[in-house]
Amino acid sequence: MLPVTYYVALSAILFILGAVGVLIRRNLIVIFMSVELMLNAANLAFVAFARYYQSMSGQVFVFFVMAVAAAEVAVGLSLIVAIYRARHTINVDDLSEMKG
Amino acid sequence: MTLNTLGSDFVILLPLTFLLGWASLLLLVDLFVPQERQDTMPLLAVLGLVATIVLSIMQAGQSAWAFQGMAVVDGFSTFFNVLFAISGLVGVALAYDYLRQMDLARNTYYTLLLFSVGGMMLMSAATDLIVIFLALELLSIPLYVLSGFARPKGESEEAALKYFLLGAFASGFLVYGIALVFGATGTTSLAGVVQAVHGGALLNPMLFIIGAALMLIGLGFKVAVVPFHMWTPDVYQGAPTAVTAFMALGAKAAGFAALLRIFLTAFPQVSADLTPVLWVLAALTMFLGNVVAIAQRNIKRMLAYSSIAHAGYLLMALVPYGQQGLSGDVSASLLFYLVAYALSNFGAWAVVMVLERQDDQGLGLDDYAGLGSKSPFLAACMTVFMLSFAGVPPTLGFVGKFYLFRTVLQGGFVWLAIIGVLTSLISAYYYLRVVVIMYMRDGDPQTHPAPWLRWTAGVMAAGVVALTFFGGPLFNWASQALLTAF
């Protein structure tokens, strides 16, 4: 069995990839996917630690996180669709009606 | 766990479970209420919130655990339950007139508002990191939708999307922080975290500190602390003003409820390593919020930066969290200031809504010229709120800031208190500018009749004045709103 460090390192890499993706990508859908990557990095860490501690609760938390992520997808995608219908673009740089 | 104990858990958290049940019921009722009958849903929402307040007050003085230590009823959560339910009531009153004058009257608004209030209440009761995460989402997701309520107006959609993306980004930080704390301690309950640290059972102290810092970032986004504040001005400006008023107080207060519970009950026994970080965040937030507010010509943006600055003052009082014997003062002064901020916040936004017109007009500072002679009542209310925001003696804002500064000084952070006082002086410039424009310049501002908005403004102004002179009982209540220790 691989030591838990490997899993945690992988989850950290995924989390950083997600965070960097949110900051540098300009397409709303890709930004959104990067956020999901961050949540799934946390899921991986939860499962790895749950295995390490032999505790079921860590695995149950993953279900909570997945349910919340699904709710966020429902709201987020409908917002993106609404924006696309109105402006025919999903580039964040075009979303700058307000400044100051 | 038997069904019986599960039932009693729901009874222990009755104000919360009742409100969420009521909100779920309203989802269904909404389908059967004809769109023309616009009074039914607000009325039902108000009934639910009033019942919640009654149930919360009935719990005063009690303290009990629920769901095997995942949530708790104590003086602290009762205080916040009442605060959030009253914010919900004010939110309904503000929305009732505003939605009609903006042609947005849709009944879903009130259901979403109730769910958000439920999330805030759960946040103040949560004693498990996962429940804090769930509560945060329960309060945020309805707010994302409400921010976009003025759709198809472009600004509103844009505000909703920005709020959503940064909110989800922040949740990512929070949940990863929770995962790391879970990894370090093997548990997510605050009591378990404290135990693990005391027992020296930490897997890796580094993991724990990083996890705590990531959680601070996640909650920092929610309460709009610099440098995690970039979304605030755009979202506050673009969202329908009734939503802005509600989330400026609600989301901030809920975020601080969670920060207080985590930092005062679980972390001081763990480490005070985050004190310098909090110090810098508080100083930056107070400074940047107040300085950038000066440059704003749009009243919604100005109030948005003002709310950032106030998050800084609240965070400032949290800095001495790690010192023994001071946690009661930290919590009492924060709660008192939150109430003071709530009154001025709702009142000021109510005045903004009376002047706001459908085509985004009436939001510039110049639109307030002549309000003093055109509508002396509104101008007087606005003056009270601005003075209280600025903390001019002897207003309620001054009393609140006095308690905050006293806490900071007791903690020995003299320089932080000095920064706080200096930035307060800066803030007086832009708050008093509104007063000067209202009374000294000629103009012809257009106001809506909006009886509920005017009532709200009047009641909030009366509250600020009354608590200025008779704030003692409130402060006593805030001091007794103790957190359950582990």
Side-chain angles (χ1 to χ4, degrees):
Chain A
M1 195 180 90
L2 286 169
V4 68
T5 331
Y6 285 46
Y7 295 98
V8 178
L10 177 62
S11 88
I13 292 170
L14 285 176
F15 181 80
I16 292 167
L17 278 180
V20 172
V22 172
L23 295 175
I24 65 169
R25 298 305 292 262
R26 304 271 59 116
N27 183 308
L28 279 175
I29 300 275
V30 178
I31 292 178
F32 196 34
M33 278 157 46
S34 304
V35 170
E36 294 297 311
L37 196 59
M38 292 167 72
L39 291 179
N40 282 319
N43 282 348
L44 179 61
F46 267 128
V47 174
F49 286 126
R51 167 106 182 148
Y52 176 80
Y53 286 111
Q54 298 290 314
S55 118
M56 285 305 284
S57 58
Q59 301 186 17
V60 176
F61 297 150
V62 174
F63 286 109
F64 283 103
V65 176
M66 282 158 83
V68 165
E72 279 189 344
V73 167
V75 172
L77 282 185
S78 42
L79 281 173
I80 294 176
V81 169
I83 293 261
Y84 180 75
R85 280 198 187 144
R87 315 186 184 197
H88 297 286
T89 172
I90 48 168
N91 189 319
V92 275
D93 292 332
D94 299 332
L95 296 179
S96 48
E97 279 187 23
M98 295 169 285
K99 278 269 156 61
Chain B
M1 180 165 35
T2 64
L3 200 63
N4 195 17
T5 59
L6 191 69
S8 71
D9 282 332
F10 282 114
V11 174
I12 291 171
L13 292 177
L14 194 58
L16 173 68
T17 42
F18 169 78
L19 184 69
L20 290 180
W22 187 259
S24 310
L25 205 66
L26 285 197
L27 269 184
L28 291 175
V29 172
D30 188 19
L31 296 175
F32 299 103
V33 178
Q35 270 297 329
E36 314 85 70
R37 299 193 50 184
Q38 292 184 349
D39 295 347
T40 316
M41 287 295 280
L43 194 68
L44 287 174
V46 165
L47 279 180
L49 287 165
V50 169
T52 308
I53 295 176
V54 172
L55 289 173
S56 305
I57 290 176
M58 277 163 60
Q59 284 188 331
Q62 287 181 23
S63 125
W65 294 93
F67 296 106
Q68 301 179 326
M70 288 199 137
V72 72
V73 171
D74 53 12
F76 183 80
S77 74
T78 305
F79 185 96
F80 271 105
N81 281 355
V82 175
L83 177 66
F84 290 138
I86 292 179
S87 316
L89 280 179
V90 181
V92 173
L94 295 178
Y96 184 72
D97 275 343
Y98 181 81
L99 293 184
R100 282 192 304 180
Q101 89 193 20
M102 294 289 148
D103 261 338
L104 292 174
R106 272 173 262 162
N107 286 331
T108 337
Y109 189 96
Y110 303 100
T111 319
L112 289 168
L113 189 81
L114 288 195
F115 275 116
S116 189
V117 172
M120 291 166 190
M121 286 167 61
L122 182 59
M123 194 96 157
S124 66
T127 49
D128 189 291
L129 295 174
I130 277 298
V131 180
I132 289 177
F133 169 65
L134 286 179
L136 187 79
E137 294 299 321
L138 182 57
L139 90 88
S140 302
I141 292 179
L143 283 182
Y144 302 148
V145 181
L146 287 177
S147 308
F149 211 72
R151 151 169 211 278
K153 207 176 113 197
E155 283 189 0
S156 176
E157 284 181 349
E158 191 178 315
L161 195 80
K162 281 181 179 165
Y163 192 28
F164 166 75
L165 280 180
L166 284 163
F169 189 49
S171 312
F173 279 96
L174 181 73
V175 86
Y176 197 68
I178 294 172
L180 292 188
V181 170
F182 172 70
T185 59
T187 171
T188 55
S189 88
L190 293 180
V193 169
V194 174
Q195 254 175 14
V197 173
H198 273 301
L202 277 187
L203 181 63
N204 182 344
M206 210 48 211
L207 216 55
F208 184 83
I209 296 289
I210 296 176
L214 286 176
M215 284 169 56
L216 181 64
I217 294 177
L219 290 170
F221 264 108
K222 281 291 156 190
V223 300
V225 167
V226 175
F228 316 116
H229 69 288
M230 341 47 128
W231 56 275
T232 319
D234 285 357
V235 172
Y236 281 24
Q237 186 190 349
T241 314
V243 181
T244 310
F246 177 66
M247 81 181 157
L249 186 268
K252 209 178 285 297
F256 272 104
L259 280 174
L260 277 173
R261 196 178 285 281
I262 296 175
F263 275 84
L264 289 181
T265 63
F267 284 2
Q269 316 178 33
V270 172
S271 76
D273 288 353
L274 289 173
T275 303
V277 180
L278 284 175
W279 196 105
V280 173
L281 289 181
L284 273 178
T285 310
M286 291 187 289
F287 183 74
L288 197 120
N290 281 321
V291 169
V292 181
I294 293 177
Q296 304 305 320
R297 305 303 299 177
N298 178 308
I299 189 109
K300 284 177 93 173
R301 275 189 104 77
M302 191 198 92
L303 286 176
Y305 279 104
S306 136
S307 93
I308 295 174
H310 281 95
Y313 293 118
L314 290 163
L315 194 69
M316 175 183 77
L318 195 64
V319 174
Y321 76 97
Q323 300 186 8
Q324 286 294 325
L326 218 58
S327 71
D329 285 337
V330 169
S331 150
S333 60
L334 260 166
L335 296 192
F336 186 85
Y337 198 73
L338 271 175
V339 174
Y341 176 68
L343 291 171
S344 314
N345 173 62
F346 282 128
W349 285 110
V351 176
V352 170
M353 279 180 246
V354 176
L355 270 86
E356 182 177 352
R357 296 200 296 279
Q358 223 175 15
D359 45 357
D360 261 344
Q361 299 297 306
L363 288 173
L365 288 181
D366 300 326
D367 292 308
Y368 286 74
L371 193 67
S373 50
K374 175 90 186 285
S375 173
F377 169 71
L378 284 178
C381 290
M382 195 64 167
T383 308
V384 170
F385 303 136
M386 289 299 128
L387 292 179
S388 184
F389 270 149
V392 176
T395 56
L396 183 60
F398 170 75
V399 182
K401 275 193 182 137
F402 172 77
Y403 287 131
L404 291 182
F405 287 130
R406 193 181 65 176
T407 308
V408 177
L409 287 175
Q410 276 172 345
F413 298 97
V414 180
W415 277 104
L416 191 61
I418 291 176
I419 294 176
V421 173
L422 288 179
T423 53
S424 278
L425 286 178
I426 298 176
S427 77
Y429 171 73
Y430 64 86
Y431 289 129
L432 295 183
R433 184 171 61 188
V434 177
V435 179
V436 169
I437 290 176
M438 283 192 305
Y439 283 103
M440 311 272 180
R441 295 238 308 260
D442 292 329
D444 186 26
Q446 296 177 16
T447 55
H448 291 281
W452 284 100
L453 296 180
R454 285 166 194 265
W455 264 104
T456 310
V459 169
M460 294 298 146
V464 171
V465 173
L467 286 176
T468 301
F469 298 106
F470 308 104
L474 176 67
F475 190 74
N476 285 342
W477 188 26
S479 316
Q480 282 154 13
L482 292 179
L483 288 150
T484 307
F486 302 120

